[in-house]
Every structure is written in C-alpha cells, then in structure tokens.
Amino acid sequence: MVPRRCLVTGAGRGIGAAVARRLAAQGHAVALTARSADELAAVAADLPGRTLVTAADLTDPDAADLVLGRVEAEFGGAVEVLVLNAGAGTSAPLARTTDEDWARMLELNLTAPFRLLRRALPGMVGQGFGRVVAVASTAAKRGDPYVAAYTASKHGLLGLVRSAAAEVAGSGVTVNAVCPGYADTPMTAATVAAISTATGRTPGQARDVLAGRQPIGRLVDPDEVADAVLLCVASAAITGQGINVDGGAVQS
C-alpha cells in the first residue's frame, strides 16, 4: 500500500487510537488530534513510523484550519486520509434536553466534522486522491429514547457524508461513515456508569444490558471498527456509505 498522509481526530483513546495504530502499522504517516495532549502523546509513543501530535479543541471555529495547516506543513502536502472520529454523547429525556446540550452535540458531532471536511476536500480533489471516513453511530440509522440531541447530530453527520460523497464522486475522493453500535470504549464506560447510577444496577449488570442489545451478545471491539475504517481507506469503490459495525443490531 502506498504510504499516505493521515489525520485522525479524537485519537487519544478508544476507536480513534485503534484507527491510528492500524494506519501507522500499514506504514502511513499519522497525525493525531484531540483535546488532551497527554493522551495523544501516549498513543503516539507506541506508533511506528512518522507521527505528529497536535492538541486542539475542534469546536473552535479556527481549529480546522490550524490543525490541517500544521499537518500539511509537517507532512509536506495535503492530507490524503481524514478520519473524523472526535465526538461525544449525552442522554436526557427530550423534554429535559437543554439548549446547551443540543448545541454541544451539534457543534462537536456535526459542525466540527463539517469544518474539517470543508477544509480538507479541495486539497484531496486537487491531488486526485482522498479518503474521508466519519465515525458516526447506529444512532445515525435509528431513533432511540433519551438521546435525541446525540441522534440528531449523528443523523446529520451521515447526511453530510452522503452529500459530500455525491459531490466529489469521480474525483478520486471517497467519503464514508462507519456506524458502530456499543463499543468497548471510554464513551460506553460513561454510559455504563450513568445507567448504573440511574437504575441501581451494578456496572457489570449495566454493561450486560448494552451488550445484550447487540445480537452477538457483546460490545464491539474498537479494532473491529478500525477494520471497517481501513476497508474504506483501501477501496476506491466504496463511497457514500454508512457501514454498520454493531453485531447485527441494525440490518441495512
């Protein structure tokens, strides 16, 4: 495989860290960004090959230009592989979802990826090659109770992916999403803790509840999500897709 210039957002842990490890293992140059410089440094320390750490708050309107500009300067050209993984969740009944909750979900899960995609696409189209993979969620495919803001942001992200893919089809650039179910990540650990607090279940029982929502009967491993990301990076014929990685929970 030809070495590529890559940027992974939310790369300090979980799915983002797994994707960064897999890209680096294939010989790509990998830039990592997230809020926590310490977490990024710990991930980068274990990666082979060329890496770059650039901590940033991607909800800052200037972050996309600053992060991509630094990667381009350090790696010597436009980013070729962009993995939009940074995101967060929130849970509340719709009637108790605040304006602040709503705005935070849209800003981090939809607006920040939009800004990065808008900034990166011209360089990809200009060089005739690009791979964009957004980490969405099965929440991009269905509605569940108590996660209206999160679900709306992920539906929006999948819509952004599909529209962008149609726009650049034929240019050598593909745009896809992967849609994990409940994965074994810090984000799911926070959900487990919230369920435990709200219901009185033990953390183990709460974790089993989430695992049981997937027909395979367990949480998805972050490396299994990375498998789907790497497939999208490798293939020029997969574009405009939302690939479920959820143990069969959502069939499409």
Side-chain angles (χ1 to χ4, degrees):
M1 181 175 290
V2 176
R4 301 293 185 182
R5 297 178 293 273
C6 308
L7 171 63
V8 182
T9 75
R13 53 186 176 170
I15 292 168
V19 170
R21 286 192 293 268
R22 295 287 290 280
L23 289 170
Q26 290 190 350
H28 302 299
V30 182
L32 305 91
T33 190
R35 285 188 175 94
S36 172
D38 290 343
E39 287 184 344
L40 293 172
V43 173
D46 291 333
L47 300 184
R50 192 174 183 186
T51 62
L52 173 66
V53 168
T54 177
D57 178 356
L58 295 178
T59 63
D60 183 331
D62 297 325
D65 193 52
L66 293 173
V67 170
L68 281 162
R70 185 176 178 213
V71 176
E72 291 163 353
E74 294 285 341
F75 284 174
V79 166
E80 296 164 292
V81 176
L82 174 61
V83 181
L84 299 166
N85 170 70
T90 190
S91 177
L94 180 58
R96 295 208 301 268
T97 298
T98 66
D99 285 358
E100 290 75 17
D101 292 335
W102 179 263
R104 182 167 62 90
M105 288 298 95
L106 292 182
E107 190 69 19
L108 180 57
N109 295 339
L110 180 56
T111 302
F114 158 71
R115 290 179 180 135
L116 285 158
L117 182 58
R118 178 178 63 185
R119 172 64 172 73
L121 270 184
M124 292 181 172
V125 171
Q127 66 196 359
F129 179 91
R131 299 286 183 266
V132 180
V133 188
V135 178
S137 167
T138 52
K141 301 289 190 72
R142 68 183 185 193
D144 285 325
Y146 310 123
V147 286
Y150 177 75
T151 299
S153 70
K154 292 299 187 177
H155 270 69
L157 181 59
L158 184 55
L160 172 66
V161 161
R162 288 170 167 164
S163 184
E167 189 168 319
V168 299
S171 70
V173 180
T174 65
V175 188
N176 290 287
V178 297
C179 300
Y182 288 104
D184 194 2
T185 64
M187 183 173 168
T188 297
T191 302
V192 165
I195 292 172
S196 181
T197 299
T199 65
R201 293 186 175 100
T202 68
Q205 290 169 332
R207 182 182 172 95
D208 288 344
V209 168
L210 298 184
R213 296 189 66 181
Q214 299 175 147
I216 57 174
R218 62 172 176 82
L219 300 181
V220 174
D221 189 276
D223 273 313
E224 293 172 319
V225 183
D227 286 339
V229 173
L230 270 290
L231 174 63
C232 294
V233 171
S235 177
I238 300 173
T239 195
Q241 303 305 307
I243 300 173
N244 299 337
V245 189
D246 64 352
V250 177
Q251 297 183 354
S252 61

